[in-house]
Amino acid sequence: MPSDLSLLYDGTFEGFLTTVFQAAFLKITPHSIESSDRFTPNLLSNPLPISTDPEKAERVWSALVQRAGYSHASMVRGAFLSEIPGIEMQIWHFQRKLFADKSGTFCGNVLDEHVTTVLNTARKVQHEAHLHQGFVRFQVAPDGMSYAMIEPTYNIVELLASHFSARFPNMPWLIVDGKRLTGIHYDGNQVQQIQLSEKPTGLAQSTSANPGHTLSDNPYQDLWKSYYRAINIPERKNTKLMLRLMPRKYWKYLPERNA
Amino acid sequence: MQNKLNILAGAAKYDVSCSSSGSNNATPQGGMGNTAATGICHSFTEDGRCVSLLKLLLTNVCIYDCAYCMNRRTNDIPRATFKVSEVVNLTLEFYQRNFIEGLFLSSGIIKSPDYTMEALVRVARELRTVHHFGGYIHLKAIPGASPELIEEAGRYADRLSVNIEIPSEPALQYLAPEKNFASVFQPMNHIREKMVEYKAPATRLLSSSPSLTRHAKPPRFVPAGQTTQMIIGASPESDFQILTLASGLYQQQQLKRVYYSGYIPINQDHRLPVVSAPPLKRENRLYQADWLMRFYHFRHDEILDAANPFLDPDFDPKMVWAMRHPELFPLDINNADYEMILRIPGVGVRSAKLIIQGRRFGRVRAEHLKRMGVALKRAKYFITDPDLPRALQRLYPEQIRATLLPPSRVLQQISFLDTPPPQLLLAHA
Ligand code: SF4
């Protein structure tokens, strides 16, 4: 039943799945599903906060995996990580159709607008995660710990965990999303998601303006910068192409570009 | 170090291959580094090229004198040589900071081909066996080096390459007196044969006794295959000649990639053409044609032939092909087979697959195509669809040409072809 309720969740995937559970329980089609920190109330809105319940979230997730298969369930999660306004309701419709489908082929129906929305959004998120497999720049601290900071458009930091733990199994590292203040930390054994209370300013600044900082790793950054300059072919200059492949929004933590 | 790096990276930059794709190494025990089958770009230079590997020459000293090369012995330039340990160390330090996917190591010819190849192998050997480095390694196979050295290189490297550089033998001999096609093809053949050889026993083991293979890791040999590069525009070959050669390399030599590098005048030499800028447009069209051969199942002689030996600067070769075949279009995407859908301008491999997949659920229409990533701007002239103006598909090739060109070019084109402007035709339909 259509309803004028805006369901508010805590911004996490678990919170969102809990909300899906509750909407199904109430048998309603909500007006919207929104993260409470992104919600702006107006005169017509009728917000209902939903508190996250890991058990309910787990039930929705396993039902999703069972109906859609793991790869499509991951795409739902990927689309969710885009944080694009309105993506929650798109996913909601996708799941509603998925659970109503008797044939078991719904996810393959690329003529359905909700399937393609989830697919295309997940692809954009995957693409940005792939870019960051390349754009992450570690600085090695004297204690052997490697640090990196990124500010991706989508909430992709958790999607980098398996790549970097497989590649650097014997070195502890930390990758921080400087905008969302979340991160992933690998202790040489396993990866954990972490939440920061404030932006680690030292790490941010040592990439450019602050050569004296303890975290700075300048000799190799300088070599890297000279290398980057040396391999450019001026006769082939094509700034437009470079900007398309490596947009300015990613330059902040790339030593070769942020000077 | 800074200075050496500048010289030896600057000297390596004209080798355009920087791909780190095609290999699937897991991280070695106790080491670091693996490879991603798709390859990963870590940065992009101002010329828009992907930076994936630390691309270096071991030395820019060379006993040869190729006319087109900066490092030829008759050039008076600063020379430098890396120690093996310097390259190894730089690779590891850069890799650990996630600056790179691995190493691309080439070299000028010092003393002899074997001496040079041996030095390249030493770097790779040390990275793999001493440091348990699992990242990407691309080595140059030096023409004239002994088969044993090349084989050893192939056991450590993910990819080997031998550059043809000049796409016809007479021109190669004219510009690079110490080289000929045989010197290039001999190591290429050798690598191809070894690749087959190394693959064979693993398959045999797997099929006969699965229990034996559980622990035995099959020896690897250039899992990402071999590549080559040709310089475009330093010698007079046509695009048709170049594509014919490339097509042969893909089919007979089983190359993974052929790279095309627009000629940049580095040396003053009477044997070389005088050009003001590298032929980037032509290079780009060659890459598009190459793409058509590798992913769209085009034969090289469908793209060009002796009567049309050059690619069209105004349109991509797929569009040109479609315009040359009005008898095959417009196409009903709800009935056409995959191979034909793949040939519609504006339709990529992914969208062609999505069209086939979508047909199981209903009629595929223009609105779906957009969300599948089809470029309707180009495709609309070649497909029938109830949502598209029918008149579009009745345009003659010349008119499609005129419609798609930028306005200033259209005027020229129309007066030249003396056909009515496309708007007139639309109004009638
Ligand atoms: S052999 Fe290679 S490095 Fe030496 S001059 Fe010829 S192209 Fe240059």
Side-chain angles (χ1 to χ4, degrees), chain B residues 70-230:
Chain B
M70 177 164 132
N71 309 318
R72 60 177 182 175
R73 66 167 183 265
T74 48
N75 274 6
D76 181 22
I77 53 163
R79 307 276 174 175
T81 302
F82 274 126
K83 291 197 203 97
V84 167
S85 61
E86 287 172 329
V87 179
V88 168
N89 182 51
L90 203 56
T91 305
L92 294 170
E93 296 289 351
F94 274 19
Y95 194 88
Q96 190 188 354
R97 286 161 180 80
N98 206 43
F99 296 162
I100 52 168
E101 279 300 286
L103 174 68
F104 176 121
L105 193 60
S106 178
S107 183
I109 314 292
I110 19 172
K111 293 193 181 131
S112 71
D114 267 352
Y115 186 89
T116 311
M117 194 70 221
E118 156 67 29
L120 298 184
V121 169
R122 221 177 318 141
V123 172
R125 187 195 301 133
E126 200 158 304
L127 280 169
R128 291 286 195 235
T129 60
V130 179
H131 300 280
H132 308 288
F133 176 68
Y136 205 89
I137 298 181
H138 179 156
L139 294 181
K140 271 275 110 101
I142 305 292
S146 77
E148 292 74 31
L149 276 173
I150 292 193
E151 183 173 347
E152 188 179 359
R155 284 202 300 267
Y156 302 130
D158 294 281
R159 174 165 280 177
L160 291 177
S161 61
V162 194
N163 284 355
I164 294 179
E165 302 293 16
I166 301 299
S168 72
E169 174 140 45
L172 177 66
Q173 285 186 18
Y174 179 57
L175 294 173
E178 289 101 343
K179 292 181 180 170
N180 55 39
F181 263 26
S183 70
V184 174
F185 284 114
Q186 189 229 334
M188 233 183 229
N189 286 334
H190 178 65
I191 295 166
R192 190 204 55 212
E193 280 158 21
K194 283 287 161 204
M195 283 171 71
V196 175
E197 206 179 294
Y198 272 75
K199 260 187 207 134
T203 0
R204 231 186 7 252
L205 268 179
L206 270 176
S207 52
S208 60
S209 57
S211 60
L212 262 181
T213 55
R214 202 171 301 152
H215 301 292
K217 229 168 79 193
R220 32 165 284 154
F221 188 84
V222 286
Q226 55 174 334
T227 63
T228 193
Q229 155 171 312
M230 301 183 211

Side-chain angles (χ1 to χ4, degrees), chain B residues 138-332:
Chain B
H138 179 156
L139 294 181
K140 271 275 110 101
I142 305 292
S146 77
E148 292 74 31
L149 276 173
I150 292 193
E151 183 173 347
E152 188 179 359
R155 284 202 300 267
Y156 302 130
D158 294 281
R159 174 165 280 177
L160 291 177
S161 61
V162 194
N163 284 355
I164 294 179
E165 302 293 16
I166 301 299
S168 72
E169 174 140 45
L172 177 66
Q173 285 186 18
Y174 179 57
L175 294 173
E178 289 101 343
K179 292 181 180 170
N180 55 39
F181 263 26
S183 70
V184 174
F185 284 114
Q186 189 229 334
M188 233 183 229
N189 286 334
H190 178 65
I191 295 166
R192 190 204 55 212
E193 280 158 21
K194 283 287 161 204
M195 283 171 71
V196 175
E197 206 179 294
Y198 272 75
K199 260 187 207 134
T203 0
R204 231 186 7 252
L205 268 179
L206 270 176
S207 52
S208 60
S209 57
S211 60
L212 262 181
T213 55
R214 202 171 301 152
H215 301 292
K217 229 168 79 193
R220 32 165 284 154
F221 188 84
V222 286
Q226 55 174 334
T227 63
T228 193
Q229 155 171 312
M230 301 183 211
I231 299 173
I232 303 307
S235 47
E237 298 82 10
S238 70
D239 292 342
F240 181 53
Q241 276 173 285
I242 292 168
L243 285 187
T244 307
L245 177 57
S247 157
L249 290 167
Y250 285 129
Q251 272 155 33
Q252 278 116 51
Q253 312 285 18
Q254 316 263 289
L255 289 203
K256 274 278 155 55
R257 285 292 300 269
V258 174
Y259 289 91
Y260 309 90
S261 172
Y263 168 64
I264 299 166
I266 299 165
N267 301 328
Q268 296 277 337
D269 192 304
H270 69 276
R271 289 170 292 174
L272 290 166
V274 178
V275 296
S276 54
L280 297 181
K281 180 109 244 173
R282 185 178 175 203
E283 180 192 293
N284 179 246
R285 292 287 179 239
L286 281 165
Y287 274 116
Q288 289 173 328
D290 184 271
W291 206 257
L292 290 184
M293 297 196 290
R294 288 189 302 134
F295 300 112
Y296 291 79
H297 310 159
F298 277 81
R299 289 195 326 266
H300 72 283
D301 55 0
E302 288 180 295
I303 302 168
L304 292 174
D305 50 45
N308 304 285
F310 284 96
L311 295 165
D312 189 328
D314 289 333
F315 291 100
D316 70 80
K318 197 176 173 194
M319 179 59 105
V320 172
W321 180 85
M323 288 192 293
R324 246 195 281 136
H325 290 279
E327 77 281 6
L328 297 172
F329 297 103
L331 213 61
D332 176 3

Side-chain angles (χ1 to χ4, degrees), chain A residues 147-149 157 174-185 192-201 203:
Chain A
Y147 298 86
M149 182 102 92
V157 73
L174 170 67
I175 303 173
V176 172
D177 180 331
K179 210 163 65 184
R180 295 175 181 82
L181 297 183
T182 54
I184 48 174
H185 173 244
Q192 251 166 358
Q193 298 210 34
I194 55 161
Q195 191 71 46
L196 281 77
S197 50
E198 62 181 77
K199 195 163 173 158
T201 48
L203 180 63

Side-chain angles (χ1 to χ4, degrees), chain A residues 108 116 120 123 133-134 136-138 166-167 170 217 224 226-228 231-233 236 238 242 256, chain B residues 2 13 27 31 33-34 42-47 49 53 55 95 97-98 101 283 350 357 361 371:
Chain A
T116 44
N120 289 344
R123 248 165 66 91
Q133 292 182 354
V136 160
R137 295 282 177 273
F138 285 118
R167 175 161 290 198
N170 301 313
D217 189 19
W224 169 242
S226 344
Y227 174 69
Y228 178 79
I231 53 171
N232 178 48
I233 301 181
R236 300 182 59 106
N238 190 344
M242 186 261 284
E256 71 272 26
Chain B
Q2 191 85 259
K13 71 185 175 188
T27 309
N34 53 9
H42 286 252
S43 194
F44 294 87
T45 36
E46 272 174 20
D47 49 24
R49 295 188 307 159
L53 304 173
K55 203 185 315 185
Y95 194 88
R97 286 161 180 80
N98 206 43
E101 279 300 286
E283 180 192 293
R350 176 174 174 267
Q357 188 182 333
F361 296 89
R371 287 208 304 271

Side-chain angles (χ1 to χ4, degrees), chain B residues 57 59-73 106-109 165 176 178-179:
Chain B
L57 294 192
T59 178
N60 65 339
V61 175
C62 191
I63 54 173
Y64 289 173
D65 204 35
C66 308
Y68 46 82
C69 177
M70 177 164 132
N71 309 318
R72 60 177 182 175
R73 66 167 183 265
S106 178
S107 183
I109 314 292
E165 302 293 16
E178 289 101 343
K179 292 181 180 170

